[in-house]
Amino acid sequence: MEEKIDRESPLTWQEKEVLDFEKSHEHAPVTVNDLFAIRLKRMGEIKDKLEKGDYSLRELFKDSTHEILLQKFFAQRLTDLARGRYSVVREPEVDNKKKPNIRLQYKDLPAVSIEVKWAHKKERTVANLENGLVDQLVGQYLKAVDSTHGIYLLANARPEKTWKFQAKRLDFNELVQHMKRLARKIES
């Protein structure tokens, strides 16, 4: 237990680290939780710039845009925003020749896997998207003993699209909330 506490406890900060934190409001990741929190912050920055930025590239993402281009866009933006806090790897091969879309790595911390899906594609039913979270992200990319954090990124290029779920139809926000509930259930 003491080894785990030592391994996961923040280190004493040096003067340079305090100044860095003052500038960026974050510190270099010490734990995988830190790496995950930084990743969430970066994804929020990307989302805000894409949806509301003066120089948004949202016009590049249409109903017909291939999912690989979406994955590359997020990998590139995450690389641009790394600020030395992590490195980005696209489709690294893991156990059984499986390849998560994106992995964030930092020194000897466990990687954070990111699976990117276009939710609006014809084949993307609620069940299909649930399987992507349960079977693909959790079942394949997070099955390693030290893999504890993953991101299931859903994007939608068709705002009017709805998904049939049980006896009702979900809009994209409702679909995202449903997937978050499923993720919390898996996590617990």
Side-chain angles (χ1 to χ4, degrees):
M1 182 66 160
E2 287 181 17
E3 279 181 12
K4 183 175 181 179
I5 292 170
D6 288 342
R7 187 174 61 244
E8 294 185 6
S9 294
L11 302 174
T12 305
W13 287 6
Q14 303 298 319
E15 182 179 341
K16 179 183 178 288
E17 293 166 320
V18 172
L19 294 172
D20 183 40
F21 182 80
E22 182 180 8
K23 244 191 290 186
S24 65
H25 301 285
E26 67 185 31
H27 58 84
V30 176
T31 69
V32 69
N33 288 336
D34 296 339
L35 180 60
F36 185 73
I38 290 169
R39 201 290 307 152
L40 289 178
K41 182 178 177 182
R42 295 299 189 273
M43 293 305 286
E45 292 173 30
I46 294 169
K47 180 182 184 291
D48 287 345
K49 295 276 188 198
L50 193 57
E51 291 178 350
K52 304 173 206 156
D54 287 340
Y55 307 107
S56 173
L57 297 172
R58 68 181 156 269
E59 291 84 13
L60 297 176
F61 302 106
K62 307 211 181 305
D63 188 12
S64 60
T65 303
H66 198 283
E67 196 168 84
I68 290 174
L69 294 177
L70 183 67
Q71 295 165 6
K72 287 181 178 180
F73 170 79
F74 278 100
Q76 180 60 55
R77 291 301 298 135
L78 286 165
T79 299
D80 293 344
L81 296 170
R83 301 178 194 135
R85 305 291 191 227
Y86 55 81
S87 61
V88 177
V89 182
R90 270 267 303 136
E91 298 208 345
E93 189 172 306
V94 296
D95 190 41
N96 291 325
K97 299 187 184 214
K98 301 300 179 193
K99 296 182 178 185
N101 297 147
I102 303 168
R103 272 197 151 177
L104 302 184
Q105 301 174 323
Y106 185 75
K107 296 186 179 178
D108 60 349
L109 295 178
V112 174
S113 295
I114 303 173
E115 184 61 27
V116 180
K117 299 280 188 209
W118 270 129
H120 69 270
K121 294 296 183 182
K122 187 176 182 178
E123 68 276 9
R124 303 284 194 219
T125 63
V126 173
N128 174 271
L129 292 167
E130 290 173 339
N131 288 339
L133 173 63
V134 174
D135 298 337
Q136 193 172 12
L137 180 62
V138 176
Q140 294 174 4
Y141 309 144
L142 297 181
K143 76 176 187 176
V145 174
D146 63 348
S147 291
T148 57
H149 292 69
I151 308 302
Y152 194 55
L153 191 153
L154 298 179
N156 180 27
R158 291 183 50 211
E160 75 288 350
K161 168 103 169 128
T162 60
W163 291 261
K164 186 176 181 184
F165 180 66
Q166 297 171 347
K168 61 181 180 174
R169 302 222 41 105
L170 305 177
D171 65 19
F172 185 64
N173 288 329
E174 292 167 327
L175 173 68
V176 169
Q177 292 309 310
H178 170 72
M179 298 305 289
K180 284 182 177 181
R181 284 189 296 275
L182 179 57
R184 282 191 291 274
K185 183 178 175 185
I186 294 166
E187 183 181 28
S188 67

